[in-house]
Amino acid sequence: MSQNQPKRWVAVVGNPNAGKSTLFNALTGLRQRVANYPGVTVEKRTGTAYTLHGEAMELIDLPGMYSLSPRSPDEEIARKVLRGESPGIPKPDAILCVVDASNLERNLFLVTQVMELGIPVLVALNMVDMAEARGIRLKPEELSRRMGVKFIPTQAHRGKGLVELRTALGQKITDPGERRWVMPPQLAAAVGQIAAAWRDALPAEQGAEGRALDLLAGFTEGPEGARKLAVAWRERFREQAFDWPAAVVQARYSYLRDMLGQAGVGHAQGHVTWTDRIDALVLNPVAGWGVLAGILMLLFTSIFSIAAYPMEWIDAGFSAAGEWVTASLPAGMFRELLVDGVLAGVGGVVIFLPQILILFLFLGLLEDSGYLARAAFLLDRVMHRVGLSGKSFIPLLSSYACAIPGIMATRTVEDPKDRLTTILVAPLMSCSARIPVYTTLIAAAVPAVVMPAWGKAGAMLGLYALGTFTAFGLAWLFRRKMLGGGSPPLILELPPYRRPSFRTVLLRMWERAVIFIRRAGTVILALSVLLWFLCNFPHRAEDPSERLAKSFAGQLGHALEPVIRPLGFDWRIGIGLVASLAAREVFVSTMSIVYHVGGEEEGLIAAMRHATWPDGSLTYTPVTCLALLVFYVYALQCLSTVAVARRETGGWKWPAFMMAYLTGLAYAGAWLVQTVGRMVSG
Amino acid sequence: MRPMNAIDLTQVGAGKEVRVSRLDCAPGTCQRLREMGFCENALVKKIRGGADLVCWVCGTRVALSARLARQILVETVDGNS
């Protein structure tokens, strides 16, 4: 292939749980790129694979879907890519359909739709080992002959069948195949007319029948003549009370059932398996909750204890880098910018990488093993009470690490109102960036001798519970009262339990790490430099406390004081609140600068305990610390979350609402604590 | 209107196999159910009962909320009651 010749594009499609991503990873290895589709945050995963002759081709891993009818942002994107309607992505030259061999009837339903796109199709008959273990007789040649597309048996998790797949992809299949299922007569007449009108207007386009069905369903635009015919037929079917979409599904399934029967492909028997035995425990209304609580406890223990070691190493690494820069460069503004701005700012965020990776390790293992679907099923009833479905559980769980992956994970939530509600309440789940703030303020509020370690852990848990319960309460308010309408009923596939593919999980973690570090090196870096500037200009006094007091940030703190004084906060806390808009944990480092105590936590806590108002009264009374804690539980002190929410909701309206309601809630909560605290203490 | 002798999926005992006779839900939900294998005349085996339930359909387990299961009308097949 010459260098100038464009690469072939192959789209990889399949049902969720068909092993599509495992096969994609096996074919592309580390030659993957993750980006977003233009205008939306649905992730676009592409990678380079090679045929046996070394010819490169671009594979695009589309989100898992049950049909080409678009019902979630994921499915909408997949449909657009396959139709060649996604900006910046060429129409695929071929489609690789990955089907679960032990569940052929349901998986081949999608294949019958894909075959109508007019693009050559190749089918990977995946997980053949598991299918055969379940007593299913597979006959790939027979299936190929009967469906008119090539079937290749694979075991993606063991790397089997990849050579055959690469060979077949290199053979440049050109035949798009043809429809084999039989349309009901009245529908066949309609599709025939619409497809003919389409061909007349656009003779070069393939797959006119599929286009006609899409046009009839209102999923796509088309040439005027074809569109008018579709409207007329739709009206006629309505008058005849002919439910044509139902008839199409029935006709496809009927064909598949007959075809599989004639091909001699056996059915999986619904006898009791290991999956059923495990389900008897994990879906049990009592024991199931115990299992879920145990898994969540293990997850949080890992996030907060195991992650502490690599976090210390990262911290030590950035401290050593800071010391090296301090020793290597002459004193001056540039050195300060590097040490206090760039290294302190970026290091303060990169330190959370281990926690995020542990969260994604757990999520990956739970998802790959099949448990996550059970957790969503178990939680559906609870979530339903607040107007959401069990599918919102995963995004909310992810938000305990960071609201950004949490908000991005909402793309799997089909209902747009459910999705929006989940995005709106996700920042209320206490993220890992709040931990340093919580730890410092709890220590400042109560001396260690008074409060034992378990008491502090309890206080921490209380703050998490406050955020979580408020999130559920507000979800109910937003979903039921503000957005209106009921939440969609749960339909969820429970895949059989499988041994997780560590390769897939580790690759996913690697991707997360790259995305996170890229963000730290761009957005966070820029914000850190800006914050350093605001904290150090226009006044260049020698004393850091004085410099900060007279800086732009200091002036802002003073300007804020009248507003935050009812909460018991002074101008110094005001600086912390402004600075921590970049990232919440910046509050701790800013307070260290404000009280001129360096980076030592004990020094800061002691300084905060002794800080006073001009009249000599203590600034950080236990009530003020509690008010500040409540403020941090609720406030949207994270510009990156706002930016992601804007991309995800497609505008500024909802992020602005999110910022306004969370700030209002934080202010009201802190004011209430302060007012009640004053009344109680007399 | 529900046929006189029709029962919904919540009324079926665990372990019983039934045939889907009608779907009584919103068009979008009906279509998703059909695509997942719950189309008219399909055989469905109820694996677990309770507030939310699990069925075996088209070779896979599908969980449904009770609210949705009440909208799936079924008829018993020979050998079941």
Side-chain angles (χ1 to χ4, degrees), chain A residues 3 35 42 49 61 64 98 108 116 148 154 226 300 345 374 394 425 444 450 482 496 502 528 559 566 657:
Chain A
Q3 289 293 316
V42 172
D61 183 16
V98 185
L108 290 177
E116 285 152 21
T154 58
F300 281 109
R374 270 80 182 174
I394 296 161
V425 300
V450 177
M482 196 174 85
F502 281 94
S528 301
F657 170 74

Side-chain angles (χ1 to χ4, degrees), chain A residues 440 588 591-592 595 597 600-609:
Chain A
T440 308
V588 178
M591 288 292 112
S592 301
Y595 292 111
V597 288
E600 291 164 17
E601 199 186 344
E602 287 80 17
L604 172 63
I605 291 164
M608 286 166 77
R609 282 207 193 116

Side-chain angles (χ1 to χ4, degrees), chain A residues 328-342:
Chain A
S328 313
L329 292 178
M333 224 189 307
F334 181 61
R335 192 176 78 178
E336 279 175 34
L337 170 68
L338 281 185
V339 177
D340 301 330
V342 174

Side-chain angles (χ1 to χ4, degrees), chain A residues 4 63 70 102 170 203 227 311-312 343 363 369 387 404 427 447 546 565 587-588 594 599 664:
Chain A
N4 298 329
S102 52
R227 212 172 51 234
M311 285 170 84
E312 268 176 35
L343 286 174
L363 283 180
S369 65
I404 293 163
E546 191 192 341
R565 206 176 170 128
F587 177 80
V588 178
V594 169

Side-chain angles (χ1 to χ4, degrees), chain A residues 539-549 593-594 596:
Chain A
H539 194 74
R540 295 288 303 159
E542 271 304 302
D543 177 39
S545 304
E546 191 192 341
R547 190 192 307 166
L548 187 72
I593 299 170
V594 169
H596 191 28

Side-chain angles (χ1 to χ4, degrees), chain A residues 9 49 118 126 202 227 285 310 326 363 384 391 489 507 526 577 618 631:
Chain A
W9 278 80
N126 199 24
L202 300 162
R227 212 172 51 234
T326 308
L363 283 180
H384 184 246
K391 289 186 180 173
L507 268 171
L577 297 183
L618 286 174
F631 189 91

Side-chain angles (χ1 to χ4, degrees), chain A residues 56-75:
Chain A
M57 52 195 163
E58 277 302 287
L59 260 57
I60 178 161
D61 183 16
L62 294 177
M65 53 190 171
Y66 292 109
S67 90
L68 289 185
S69 323
R71 290 214 175 71
S72 70
D74 267 6
E75 288 173 334

